[in-house]
Amino acid sequence: MDDHGRRVLAPLREAWTAFEDGTASLLDLSRLAEQAAGALDNASAPLPQLLLKAASDLEFASYTNDQENHLQIGRQILEPVLAEWAG
């Protein structure tokens, strides 16, 4: 990943840490994933598409699951994205 991609994903990475610490929500992650997807170009493929899907899934999960399940669900949704940006 290039410097632009790392800068674009930095807020989502910070929010992920905050989410794991219990100070950010699925909706926070959703918003930041959508923003990152919009800021990345096709050179970062398939990351923008993964981010858009994750954003949608995170928002839906926020409203359809109990709070105590949010951490596990957040991990399930973002795992493919985390693997892609680490690669």
Side-chain angles (χ1 to χ4, degrees):
M1 179 173 301
D2 63 9
D3 287 338
H4 171 71
R6 282 189 283 281
R7 283 191 309 271
V8 166
L9 289 171
L12 181 57
R13 288 179 183 185
E14 291 170 12
W16 178 253
T17 301
F19 176 72
E20 288 186 312
D21 292 340
T23 59
S25 70
L26 289 175
L27 288 178
D28 294 326
L29 294 174
S30 173
R31 177 181 50 83
L32 291 167
E34 187 171 1
Q35 288 174 358
L40 293 171
D41 58 20
N42 287 334
S44 300
L47 194 51
Q49 294 80 14
L50 289 172
L51 287 165
L52 284 175
K53 177 157 179 23
S56 175
D57 292 348
L58 289 163
E59 181 176 3
F60 181 78
S62 175
Y63 293 113
T64 59
N65 292 278
D66 294 329
Q67 178 73 30
E68 61 265 9
N69 297 325
H70 282 192
L71 182 59
Q72 177 187 354
I73 292 165
R75 287 181 176 149
Q76 289 171 348
I77 293 170
L78 279 180
E79 188 173 81
V81 178
L82 296 171
E84 184 65 31
W85 86 36

